[in-house]
């Protein structure tokens, strides 16, 4: 079964495991497909040719899909909007057109926002009313200090506040008229994929369902010292929003979003993903996979787009973030959360692809995240890994201001070198052969903004990436109940290649196909030559 495919016969799991000096995994899902009346089509020959073919078969050509050349978004208004059957009318003969290289009717993907419902003195003087209570920005001077500081003020004091850095939030919109956002709002970093226009304003309803993007945006770039609301971590950065979660999420919608204006946007922050239910295995389908690859290769004039991702909120369902192909990708920076106390939050998902951690909510008595809210308000109860990813995006913006020439891989290296275990509570901290402390809960630890800007200032770009690809004999092996297969595969690190053997390991991507009815019965480990053991998939008794 193909990896992008979401249909699922009982019992077949496809694993694609990724590890970034660390590790992770994914697999697809058992669910009925729901087809939309949108198609992604690849047509060579430019826009006029695409238009001609669209009208010949009764489609409307909505335009190129994000930055993907030759890929177009076609709409067919006479097809029903959501159907469990793929469309079969005369329009389906379009696939026979010689110029049509590839076509795919878009299916609805379930994507869940990563917050959850909840019903001092300081050294920098800002007149914003919420500043004194923004504990994670100046935690060392609180009456109840958190014991590790992300040193954001330290980065500010070195002159970095996000100037000339552009961040966009891929979510349910951004309230661009919010008094704390309008000054830094960047229309060029914003669009509305759901409404197919340029205005990312959220849709308002009684329950404020679409508050999530506006909350994330304020964490990054709320204006400082304007007597209003809060202070963003990169309060002089430009901030935009891509409205893409308020509608059917398809591969095409995701691809348009992650490839939106890649020569202008530097950092994309996403706090959503597949269901965190402990059973799902899902990840980017072909267009989005290609959009990620194009982003790191060509975005930011070849330095690579920076994609920051929330690691997931499925802790209570024993979800494992390796089963989420977005957080798990080597192209994304996957961010976990810790509570004020340094304790593991109840929603935290463990896995080896997590790179680092920022503060967020914890138990009900722990402080939460303070940020801008829908309807020009502020909130002091933003929560979950949703709150952690934008915080990381803001810190990365400070580092990119300190050194705008960091590549997407440099950014990951700088994070690994500067994050700290601090007081973060986990029973699996270990020091790997490269000398870094690492945990499946927190990656390389709590991010440190001041250390990051200092490291960025003096950073030399890492050497070119080399890929060493090895495969097994594809022999079928059976796992007997309550037993393990040891040493399924022993990698050689391309040791037979004099030029390209592995000297320094950056990422590992593991693809495994397993047929089994229940994800929770399985555990997969990867052990490094020096003995660092990474769990690629955790077994659990209840999923
Ligand atoms: C969360 O914050 C908002 C805005 O401040 C407030 O209206 C809401 O009542 C708060 N919810 C809880 C559960 O505290
Ligand atoms: C904020 O504005 C006040 C005036 O309202 C000023 O005294 C203070 O120095 C400013 N703070 C910073 C950090 O610029
Ligand atoms: C995972 O499997 C191991 C070995 O069978 C077992 O000891 C452990 O309790 C399991 N963990 C969970 C969470 O079920
Ligand atoms: Ca403010
Ligand atoms: Ca998850």
């Amino acid at each position: 079964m193909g990896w992008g495919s979401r249909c699922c016969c009982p019992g077949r799991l496809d694993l694609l495991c990724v590890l970034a000096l660390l590790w992770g995994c994914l697999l697809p899902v058992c669910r009925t497909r729901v087809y939309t009346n949108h198609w992604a089509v690849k047509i060579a020959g430019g826009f006029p040719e695409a238009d001609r073919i669209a009208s010949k078969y009764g489609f409307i050509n909505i335009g190129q899909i994000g930055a993907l050349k030759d890929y177009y978004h076609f709409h067919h208004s006479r097809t029903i909007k959501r159907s469990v059957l793929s469309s079969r009318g005369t329009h389906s003969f379009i696939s026979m057109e010689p110029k049509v290289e590839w076509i795919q009717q878009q299916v609805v993907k379930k994507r869940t926002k990563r917050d959850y419902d909840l019903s001092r003195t300081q050294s920098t003087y800002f007149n914003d009313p919420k500043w004194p209570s923004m504990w994670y920005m100046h935690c060392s001077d609180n009456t109840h200090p958190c014991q590790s500081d992300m040193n954001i003020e330290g980065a500010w004091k070195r002159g970095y506040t996000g100037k000339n850095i552009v961040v966009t939030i891929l979510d349910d919109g951004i309230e661009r008229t919010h008094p704390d956002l309008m000054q830094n709002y960047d229309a060029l970093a914003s669009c509305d994929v759901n409404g197919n226009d340029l205005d990312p304003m959220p849709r308002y309803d009684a329950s404020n369902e679409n508050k999530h993007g506006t909350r994330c945006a304020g964490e990054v770039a709320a204006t400082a010292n304007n007597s209003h609301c809060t202070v963003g971590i990169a309060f002089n950065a430009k901030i935009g929003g891509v409205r893409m979660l308020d509608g059917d999420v398809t591969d095409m919608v995701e691809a348009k979003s992650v490839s939106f204006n890649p020569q202008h946007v530097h950092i994309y922050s996403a706090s959503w993903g597949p269901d965190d239910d402990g059973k799902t295995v899902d990840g980017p389908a072909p267009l989005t996979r290609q959009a990620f690859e194009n982003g790191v290769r060509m975005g930011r004039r070849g330095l690579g787009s920076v994609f920051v991702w929330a690691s997931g909120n499925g802790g209570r369902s024993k979800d494992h973030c390796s089963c989420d192909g977005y957080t798990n990708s080597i192209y994304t920076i996957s961010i976990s959360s810790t509570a004020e106390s340094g304790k593991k939050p109840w929603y935290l998902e463990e896995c080896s692809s997590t790179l680092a951690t920022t503060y967020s909510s914890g138990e009900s008595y722990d402080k939460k995240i303070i940020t801008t809210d829908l309807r020009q308000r502020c909130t002091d109860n933003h929560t979950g890994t949703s709150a952690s990813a934008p915080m990381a995006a803001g810190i990365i913006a400070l580092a990119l201001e300190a050194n705008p020439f960091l590549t997407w891989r440099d950014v990951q290296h700088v994070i690994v070198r500067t994050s700290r275990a601090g007081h973060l509570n986990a029973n699996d901290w270990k020091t790997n052969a490269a000398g870094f402390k690492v945990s499946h809960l927190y990656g390389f630890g709590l991010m440190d903004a001041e250390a990051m800007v200092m490291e960025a200032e003096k950073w030399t770009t890492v050497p070119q990436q080399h890929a060493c690809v090895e495969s097994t004999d594809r022999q079928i092996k059976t796992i007997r109940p309550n037993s393990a297969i040891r040493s399924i595969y022993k990698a050689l690190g391309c040791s037979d290649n004099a030029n390209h053997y592995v000297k320094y390991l950056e990422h590992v991507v593991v693809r495994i196909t397993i047929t089994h009815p229940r994800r929770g019965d399985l555990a997969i480990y990867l052990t490094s030559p020096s003995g660092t053991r990474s769990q690629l998939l955790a077994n659990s008794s209840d999923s």
Side-chain angles (χ1 to χ4, degrees), residues 363-381:
E363 296 303 321
S364 53
Y365 49 79
D366 282 316
K367 294 201 204 73
K368 298 172 184 64
I369 302 305
I370 298 155
T371 184
T372 48
D373 206 359
L374 211 57
R375 304 183 195 270
Q376 316 206 344
R377 291 196 291 239
C378 332
T379 178
D380 43 23
N381 55 36

Side-chain angles (χ1 to χ4, degrees), residues 124-127 225:
T124 307
Y125 296 95
F126 285 133
N127 57 26
N225 225 23

Side-chain angles (χ1 to χ4, degrees), residues 238-290:
K238 292 187 190 157
I239 186 76
V242 174
R243 178 170 174 262
M244 47 77 64
L245 280 186
D246 191 27
D248 288 344
V249 181
T250 62
D251 186 21
M252 187 163 69
V253 164
E254 293 179 352
K256 284 183 182 184
S257 305
V258 304
S259 70
F260 176 68
N261 211 354
Q263 302 314 332
H264 181 74
V265 174
H266 303 126
I267 303 168
Y268 301 76
S269 179
S271 295
W272 47 268
D275 271 345
D276 291 324
D277 57 8
K279 299 172 193 151
T280 303
V281 182
D282 191 9
L287 297 168
T288 308
R289 280 209 300 269
Q290 190 171 346

Side-chain angles (χ1 to χ4, degrees), residues 114 275-276 311-312 319-321 324 349:
R114 289 184 166 163
D275 271 345
D276 291 324
S311 65
D319 200 15
H320 201 248
C321 39
D324 167 338
E349 289 185 35

